[in-house]
Structures are given as C-alpha cells and as structure tokens.
C-alpha cells in the first residue's frame, strides 16, 4: 500500500514508473494520460481451435489507450527470439471521438489520419522503450526460464 519499495535498490529499475496505487486511491493524482496493454500469450481458447488460427495469428500484442483512441499492434515473433517480425503485423485503431469508434466497430488503422500517426508514435516512443528496457542481471535467469517455457508451450498444442 505504500511507495516505500521505491527506496529499495532491488527495485531501482521500476522507480521511474508511475505510481498506480496512488492513481487508484486518488483519481486526480498525477499519472499517465494513457494505459498500455501487452501480452505474448497463446490462450487456451486459441489452442483448442480445430483450424490453423492458433498457428497463424500473431500472439504478441502491444496496445495503448487514451481518452480519444485505442491502438493495437498484433505481431509475430521471429522464430526462437523475442524480436518482432515487422512483416507479420496487424493493426487496430479505434477513434473514441466517434460512436462507431467507441463501439470498436470502425477500425481506422489503415487511414492516413493524424490520429494513426499520434497513436503509433505514442506506442513506439513511450510504451515500447519501457518494455524493451533491460532487466537487472539478477532477473536474467528467471527471464531465460520464462522464455524457454514460452517457446516450449508455443511450439504446439497442449496435449
């Protein structure tokens, strides 16, 4: 419940991140004007499909949402890496200033709107650098184990 952990040197790599507990307690607290969502997981539902969707759909999702829009990039990773394959990506952009955008019915990602440029820049300059920041060396073994488990799971359907 407190920010005391920020003084612990083990968590130095997290000190600059926003204080989400404070934002949750005080709606007017200083925070980011956006939220991010990132996942790399193959869900059980996808693995249970009888067609090849689970093998072909990009599983790396990076998204950012503001009061006016939601932008998501779905990417595949290059085999055996955590590097995004830029040739295998799908995008969604919903303009929340419109009714169909708020309902997420009108994907305007393919347009040349300023909104697409703004949201893409936000994702690439704010969200992705934080995701790509190196982990402290004491977490490298856990990261390696997690990647090995991810690769093993994503290699095929669960028996």
């Amino acid at each position: 419940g407190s920010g005391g952990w920020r003084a612990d040197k083990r968590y130095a790599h997290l000190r600059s991140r926003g204080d989400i507990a404070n934002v949750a307690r005080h709606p007017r607290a200083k925070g980011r004007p956006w939220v991010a969502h990132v996942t790399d997981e193959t869900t059980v539902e996808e693995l249970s499909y009888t067609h090849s969707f689970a093998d072909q759909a990009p599983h790396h999702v990076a998204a950012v949402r503001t009061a006016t829009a939601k932008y998501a990039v779905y990417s595949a990773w290059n085999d055996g890496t955590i590097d995004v394959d830029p040739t295998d990506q799908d995008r969604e952009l919903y303009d929340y200033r419109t009714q169909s955008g708020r309902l997420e019915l009108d994907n305007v990602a393919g347009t040349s709107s300023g909104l697409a440029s703004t949201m893409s820049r936000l994702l690439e300059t704010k969200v992705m650098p934080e995701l790509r920041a190196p982990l402290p060396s004491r977490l490298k073994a856990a990261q390696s184990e997690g990647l090995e488990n991810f690769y093993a799971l994503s290699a095929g359907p669960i028996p």
Side-chain angles (χ1 to χ4, degrees):
S2 77
W5 62 268
R6 291 178 184 267
D8 189 323
K9 65 182 177 183
R10 293 176 298 168
Y11 306 114
H13 64 289
L14 300 173
R15 282 187 195 134
S16 65
R17 294 192 177 175
D19 186 347
I20 196 165
N22 190 47
V23 171
R25 279 191 299 273
H26 309 287
R28 297 187 204 276
K30 182 180 178 187
R32 295 178 175 160
W34 49 268
V35 294
H37 169 78
V38 179
T39 185
D40 298 305
E41 302 196 18
T42 304
T43 65
V44 173
E45 290 83 9
E46 290 168 347
L47 289 174
S48 66
Y49 285 140
T50 56
H51 55 80
S52 62
F53 172 79
D55 295 331
Q56 296 176 7
H59 296 294
H60 175 69
V61 181
V64 64
R65 185 190 184 284
T66 66
T68 58
K70 180 171 100 176
Y71 178 68
V73 179
Y74 300 81
S75 307
W77 282 352
N78 291 318
D79 288 339
T81 74
I82 55 171
D83 299 322
V84 167
D85 177 356
T87 67
D88 191 358
Q89 293 184 315
D90 296 310
R91 290 174 171 72
E92 288 181 333
L93 173 62
Y94 299 104
D95 185 345
Y96 288 167
R97 298 170 296 185
T98 69
Q99 177 69 13
S100 60
R102 282 188 299 279
L103 294 173
E104 296 188 2
L105 297 173
D106 189 15
N107 179 3
V108 296
T111 67
S112 59
S113 74
L115 183 60
S117 176
T118 298
M119 295 300 287
S120 175
R121 189 170 42 257
L122 175 60
L123 185 67
E124 286 303 318
T125 63
K126 300 293 185 183
V127 176
M128 298 313 289
E130 191 167 304
L131 289 175
R132 294 178 183 137
L135 289 174
S137 56
R138 65 182 166 69
L139 297 176
K140 295 290 185 183
Q143 181 184 36
S144 293
E145 182 181 350
L147 288 171
E148 287 173 21
N149 291 338
F150 175 80
Y151 296 138
L153 178 64
S154 63
I158 298 172

